[in-house]
Each structure stands twice: as C-alpha cells, then as structure tokens.
Amino acid sequence: MNLVFIFNSLMLGAGLAMDAFTVSLANALQEPDMRRRKQAGVAGIFAGFQTLMPLIGWICVHTVLQYFQAFEKLIPWIALLLLGLLGGKMLIEGVRSQKSEQEAAEKPAVGFGALALQGVATSIDALSVGFTIADYRAPMALAAALMIGAVTFLICYIGLKIGRKAGGKLAGKATIFGGILLIGIGLEIFISNMIK
C-alpha cells in the first residue's frame, strides 16, 4: 500500500460519507438526548454499510458485471424512495409532535429499522465504487473499503455531535428539519445521478 492509495481511499470515504453525515445530523436533531453508546452505534451502522457496499460492488464487477450494470440504473431511484419515505415520515411526526410536545419527548426517535434503511439509502451509491476499485486485488479492495468505513464512522459521529447540540436548541422543530434534510438528500442523490 502506498500513500496515494491511502489518500485516495480516505478522500473517497469522505466524499461517500457526506450523505450519511447529513442523515446523522438529522437523526441527532430528532433525538438531541441521544447517548454516546447509541451515537457510536448509529455511526457504526452507517460505517458498516459504507464498508460493505463498495465490496459488494467489487464482487459484482468480478462476477456478474452485466447484472450489476443493469441494477446501477436503479440506484438513484432506490435512494430517492427510501430517503423520501423516511423523511416524509419524520416530517409528519414532527408536525404531529408540534401538537403534542409531551408525546414527542417520551418517544425514542430513531430505531434500528429506520437506521438500517437510512444506511442502505445513503450507501447504495457506494456500490458504484466497485467499478473504481475493480482493478484492486482482494486485499487492497478490502483495505480501501475499511478506510471508507473508518472515515464514515468519524464523519457521522461528528454529525451526531453537531446535531445533538443544535437539536436541544431547536426542540420541536428539529424533527421537521430532519425530515426535510432526508428528503433533500434523496433528491440530491437522484438528481446528481440523473445528470451524469
């Protein structure tokens, strides 16, 4: 492994982690009293998906390339659908919680199922990274994916910290803002993939 490989992998990780950062921020806005253990778990889920997706893409390139290329066209649609649904749900919950602040305070904000969907939605475009690392041998592809995951973990954890601080100040509006952010990310992934 050389410095260029490490630098490229870290920069790729930073670029791929931006959607997960924003979703982490939205989650922490929705749940400003999130404990450190859960923050590490949330960041870990996003990092896990960001690690796994490039590896799946790499495997697809080396095994069933023609099927992967057909699936690649669906990636922006899947991200838009998942993030749109999650964001819409958060938006509706935020509007409802404005009517009943006590219920909103008692309800835990982000469950494992929602986190898993967010993880898939924010990392599905990382499947395409399998093409960029296709000429790597398996150990190098694994090393690149692990660096991408490590960078994602760090960036998401920072997003959760920032969102936690802002979430306490925004109180009831945070869930609405978080929902808008998720829908916006879904649209950004969709539009940026459509104009390539």
Side-chain angles (χ1 to χ4, degrees), residues 17-31 34 39 42-47 90 110 115 118 122 152-164 178 181-182 185:
M18 288 302 113
D19 291 336
F21 168 82
T22 310
V23 174
S24 296
L25 185 74
N27 286 337
L29 285 171
Q30 187 180 0
E31 191 177 343
M34 189 184 294
Q39 290 174 35
V42 170
I45 287 171
F46 288 120
M90 276 177 74
V110 187
L115 285 172
Q118 290 172 358
T122 58
T152 300
F153 181 89
L154 181 64
I155 288 174
C156 288
Y157 197 78
I158 291 168
L160 288 161
K161 291 289 185 193
I162 294 168
R164 231 182 122 208
L181 276 176
L182 290 182
I185 294 165

Side-chain angles (χ1 to χ4, degrees), residues 23 27 38 41-50 52-53 78 82-83 86 110-124:
V23 174
N27 286 337
K38 184 169 183 182
V42 170
I45 287 171
F46 288 120
F49 278 106
Q50 290 286 21
L52 190 62
M53 291 298 187
I78 294 168
L82 291 175
L83 289 171
L86 290 167
V110 187
F112 180 77
L115 285 172
L117 283 176
Q118 290 172 358
V120 170
T122 58
S123 67
I124 197 161

Side-chain angles (χ1 to χ4, degrees), residues 114-136:
L115 285 172
L117 283 176
Q118 290 172 358
V120 170
T122 58
S123 67
I124 197 161
D125 58 339
L127 277 169
S128 304
V129 173
F131 283 127
T132 64
I133 63 172
D135 57 342
Y136 293 173

Side-chain angles (χ1 to χ4, degrees), residues 31-158:
E31 191 177 343
D33 57 345
M34 189 184 294
R35 296 178 186 265
R36 282 185 182 174
R37 189 176 197 166
K38 184 169 183 182
Q39 290 174 35
V42 170
I45 287 171
F46 288 120
F49 278 106
Q50 290 286 21
T51 301
L52 190 62
M53 291 298 187
L55 287 175
I56 291 171
W58 182 87
I59 290 166
C60 288
V61 166
H62 288 271
T63 55
V64 287
L65 179 62
Q66 66 275 18
Y67 300 115
F68 181 70
Q69 286 175 327
F71 173 76
E72 191 177 23
K73 293 174 183 157
L74 297 176
I75 288 173
W77 291 95
I78 294 168
L80 177 66
L81 178 69
L82 291 175
L83 289 171
L85 288 172
L86 290 167
K89 183 176 180 277
M90 276 177 74
L91 204 55
I92 291 166
E93 287 173 0
V95 170
R96 286 183 183 156
S97 74
Q98 293 295 307
K99 297 173 187 171
S100 174
E101 290 294 326
Q102 185 179 6
E103 282 179 28
E106 291 169 3
K107 184 180 164 198
V110 187
F112 180 77
L115 285 172
L117 283 176
Q118 290 172 358
V120 170
T122 58
S123 67
I124 197 161
D125 58 339
L127 277 169
S128 304
V129 173
F131 283 127
T132 64
I133 63 172
D135 57 342
Y136 293 173
R137 292 181 180 212
M140 283 185 74
L142 179 61
L146 289 172
M147 283 188 262
I148 290 167
V151 169
T152 300
F153 181 89
L154 181 64
I155 288 174
C156 288
Y157 197 78
I158 291 168

